[in-house]
Amino acid sequence: MAAARDQAARILRPEPDDAAEGESARDAALAESRRAHVSEETVARRPAETPGHPSIDRPAAAPAAAATSAASKSGKRRLVVTGVGALLALAAAAYGVNYVIVGRFLVSTDDAYVRANSTTLGARVSGHIAAILPGDNAPVRTGEVIFRIDDGDYRIAVDAARTKIATQQATIDRIGRQVTALESAVEQAKAQLASADAALKRAGLDFDRQQALSSKGFASRATFEVSEAGRDQGVAAVKSAQAAYDAARDNVEVTKAQQVEARAQLAELQTSLAKAERDLDFTSVRAPVDGIFSNRLVNTGDFIVVGQRLGNVVPLNDVFIDANFKETQLKRIRPGQPVTILVDAYGHRKFAGVVDSISPAAGSVFTLLPPDNATGNFTKIVQRLPVRVRVPKDVAKQNLLRAGMSVYATVDTSGGARDADSEADLDAPTMVQPQ
């Protein structure tokens, strides 16, 4: 160690004109002395080699181990990359096969919702709400009472109508008895007419006899005049009896007409009674269909008028799906095709449906203000047409599908659309329907 230090101290300084070269030589000498110093210390610290402790050339073994580890990692990396590539190739092949066999026939849309023919309950009569029987969102059956309206006035109207009917029926019975009595008077007038005819006949015979005797001079003039007066009285009596008979018979007809009129009034009163009873029945607002009562708009004690909305009944057992497909998606859709329905509210739960019908017009046609593209600038927008999807009864009866829910509908168009891929014109002779 001392010799190395002395050697470093004896290094000659370079001349002033060779300063750069001297500094380089001095730096080299210092570096050499430091390497020598380190080597000596290393030799001093290394233990003596023994048979039991052979020296190991560690710097030579480290590169070999590193090379082996790098080769192992590279092989594993290649294996993983190859496996992933094979899986991706299998997945792509499976997707391609599935698309060719199934996927290209599937038409989907997320613009689909659960619908139901909701019934709006309305008031048929006015009055105060006396009671609301079912609770909100409670199931109801057809004919079940939902609202009760105060029926006091309507019961009075029914009783009054029944009383009037009873009075009118009594009037009809009285007129019937009058008709019977008048018919008896007719028979009496008829008998009097027959008596007057007989008296006239007798007076006429007496007049003829007295006239014959008077013409021959066998009877006095006074007797002849008495017989003549008797004949004239008989004629007048017949006319009077005939008039009485006609009057009696006309009275019968008039009374019968009055009876007919009374019966018509009775029918009118019966109609009034039916209306009063109907109004009384309308004080109980009943459920028209099976469903769920909801959207209650009134409370107990509220005064309602005729036609006022009271609530809704939603028939969940008859729900359906309205899927709004783009017009470019309708090429292969036909009624009767199977539909897979995914409900957003229930995660990945699916159920099967069937295409029931296709709307005859786009939704924009039925709007309050249909678009008019004949004026102004025009931007073509793909229209959507509602497709009605029928829900199986066993699924609807679970009452899990609620009106307004969003669903994802997928139609399998692989069957029932053989003419969809035809390139024939719509007005081709073979496609024109006979008139």
Side-chain angles (χ1 to χ4, degrees), residues 102-124:
V102 179
R104 66 192 182 100
F105 298 109
L106 300 180
V107 181
S108 304
T109 182
D110 58 356
D111 188 4
Y113 305 92
V114 180
R115 302 297 187 193
N117 293 321
S118 176
T119 301
T120 301
L121 301 177
R124 305 288 294 271

Side-chain angles (χ1 to χ4, degrees), residues 226-251:
V226 170
S227 64
E228 184 179 14
R231 185 199 64 179
D232 294 339
Q233 289 177 351
V235 172
V238 168
K239 291 181 179 180
S240 177
Q242 183 66 45
Y245 172 74
D246 293 340
R249 187 176 57 186
D250 292 340
N251 287 335

Side-chain angles (χ1 to χ4, degrees), residues 190-209:
K190 186 177 180 180
Q192 291 177 352
L193 177 60
S195 175
D197 286 336
L200 176 60
K201 184 178 180 180
R202 181 178 59 81
L205 294 175
D206 184 65
F207 172 77
D208 294 338
R209 184 172 54 256

Side-chain angles (χ1 to χ4, degrees), residues 262-294:
R263 286 174 179 171
Q265 292 176 353
L266 176 62
E268 183 179 354
L269 293 175
Q270 289 174 344
T271 303
S272 299
L273 174 61
K275 184 180 183 305
E277 291 176 343
R278 186 177 174 83
D279 290 342
L280 178 61
D281 185 66
F282 285 155
T283 58
S284 297
V285 181
R286 304 177 184 273
V289 294
D290 295 345
I292 304 298
F293 169 66
S294 63

Side-chain angles (χ1 to χ4, degrees), residues 376-397:
N377 296 329
F378 169 70
T379 301
K380 185 174 182 179
I381 300 175
V382 178
Q383 300 296 315
R384 291 181 179 268
L385 281 82
V387 175
R388 179 66 54 86
V389 178
R390 186 170 62 251
V391 177
K393 289 293 184 181
D394 55 345
V395 175
K397 289 182 179 179

Side-chain angles (χ1 to χ4, degrees), residues 325 337-341 351-355 389-390 408-412:
F325 286 94
Q337 292 175 340
V339 183
T340 301
I341 303 172
F351 64 92
V354 179
V355 175
V389 178
R390 186 170 62 251
Y408 190 86
T410 302
V411 181
D412 185 359

Side-chain angles (χ1 to χ4, degrees), residues 341-350:
I341 303 172
L342 175 64
V343 184
D344 294 354
Y346 302 114
H348 298 285
R349 293 184 61 179
K350 300 179 180 179

